[in-house]
Amino acid sequence: MKLVRFGQAGAEKPGIVDADGVIRDVSGHVADWRAGTLDRQTLARIAAVDAKSLPAAPSGVRIGSCVSRPGNFVAVGLNFADHAAETGAAIPEEPILFNKAPNCVVGPNDDVMIPKGSTKLDWEVELAIVIGETALYVSEEDAMNYVAGFCICNDVSERAFQIERSGQWMKGKGSPTFGPLGPWLVTPDEIADIQNVAMWLEIDGQKVQNGSSKTMIFGVKHLVSYISQFMQLDAGDVITTGTPPGVGLGMKPPRFLKAGETMTVGIEGLGVQKQKVVPFSG
């Protein structure tokens, strides 16, 4: 299935995408896509519903993040061998983990806002894992039993905050709008091999990232198991798993986002996002 949330920000309804690409309202069956509705039993119950019997969402409706605000938004750094090479970094011996702020999550086509003081705003197409059931000390062999599905994440990053301001990377990773998720949350049965899907990102029509999940250093199963050794992962939590090469920081000379530019972000089987970069307002 493809799970979706649609409607005005803060008032989204849960839906699914039918075989013809029409968004169908499932709010009569589940309250939202969040903890308590992403477990295997609930998803199986929704899959058994005749999609054509459900109300269609309004044409042109806004698409929200594919899950409501996660309790934890965990990110993995330098997890693609070719991206590590472009940054000049050594291949990590274990996954590098940091946090993104849960309240940076926005819809896949919402604007991305340049934060105050930003000078080096960057992009990262990433494959995100959404947890479906509580995961603690799980084995790699059992890891997929705890995964509700996969979606696109644009791990928007402010490199000056991240690298030049000392301390943790999270300084450059959690500003408002830095976590577009969606458009869909795609259940694992729809993806033949999640470790071999194409990933790409364009800026104003110019492709800057063109990679594949096959170059991940630590795969999906390993990451779910590994992270669960250090923290409890709850349903609705998001793990974003790193980016292939082509980020602005790695270009020679480096190239960063400007107001008015548009990012188009895609992963094979998971859909496409599009975000306009806008100045800070507030």
Side-chain angles (χ1 to χ4, degrees):
M1 284 190 298
K2 292 182 176 68
L3 315 183
V4 62
R5 297 170 70 248
F6 63 93
Q8 294 182 351
E12 294 93 344
K13 290 184 176 183
I16 59 173
V17 181
D18 72 17
D20 298 320
V22 176
I23 296 173
R24 299 286 178 170
D25 185 342
V26 296
S27 60
H29 297 267
V30 292
D32 203 351
W33 295 127
R34 63 188 184 195
T37 64
L38 294 168
D39 59 279
R40 284 165 285 178
Q41 291 80 7
T42 301
L43 294 182
R45 175 170 61 83
I46 299 301
V49 175
D50 177 11
K52 299 295 186 183
S53 70
L54 300 168
S59 177
V61 69
R62 171 187 173 270
I63 304 299
S65 61
C66 54
V67 290
S68 60
R69 182 186 296 187
N72 291 295
F73 194 173
V74 182
V76 184
L78 295 175
N79 192 35
F80 281 63
D82 37 7
H83 172 56
E86 78 171 341
T87 66
I91 300 296
E93 294 184 5
E94 294 189 34
I96 297 171
L97 305 180
F98 59 93
N99 292 322
K100 288 179 72 73
N103 64 0
C104 81
V105 170
V106 290
N109 304 316
D110 291 345
D111 292 341
V112 164
M113 186 170 60
I114 302 171
K116 281 187 174 182
S118 171
T119 58
K120 297 180 178 180
L121 191 66
D122 208 345
W123 58 85
E124 296 189 11
V125 56
E126 301 204 1
L127 168 68
I129 306 162
V130 176
I131 299 298
E133 303 178 35
T134 301
L136 182 65
Y137 302 124
V138 304
S139 69
E140 194 165 331
E141 292 72 23
D142 291 337
M144 288 303 298
N145 290 329
Y146 300 88
V147 174
F150 305 102
C151 65
I152 302 170
C153 173
N154 186 356
D155 178 19
V156 183
S157 307
E158 212 303 330
R159 301 302 189 186
F161 296 175
Q162 176 189 355
I163 299 168
E164 300 169 20
R165 299 293 297 273
S166 77
Q168 296 293 324
W169 284 5
M170 64 180 292
K171 288 181 180 179
K173 297 287 189 171
S175 293
T177 74
F178 272 25
L181 295 178
W184 328 125
L185 174 60
V186 181
T187 53
D189 58 291
E190 291 213 5
I191 307 295
D193 182 3
I194 198 60
Q195 297 302 156
N196 188 21
V197 292
M199 306 170 64
W200 53 271
L201 187 146
E202 296 178 351
I203 301 173
D204 288 346
Q206 177 188 2
K207 187 168 284 186
V208 291
Q209 289 192 274
N210 190 21
S212 169
S213 61
K214 67 185 178 183
T215 67
M216 288 173 66
I217 298 164
F218 305 106
V220 166
K221 294 177 182 179
H222 182 83
L223 290 174
V224 173
S225 174
Y226 180 87
I227 295 168
S228 80
Q229 308 307 308
F230 302 99
M231 62 182 288
Q232 177 175 297
L233 293 165
D234 293 326
D237 286 354
V238 175
I239 303 168
T240 190
T241 63
T243 196
V247 300
L249 181 67
M251 293 183 174
K252 295 180 173 41
R255 181 251 200 263
F256 299 110
L257 291 162
K258 300 178 180 64
E261 293 181 321
T262 297
M263 295 177 281
T264 306
V265 191
I267 296 181
E268 181 183 0
L270 302 184
V272 175
Q273 302 181 346
K274 184 170 286 190
Q275 301 111 24
K276 184 177 180 180
V277 180
V278 300
F280 173 80
S281 62

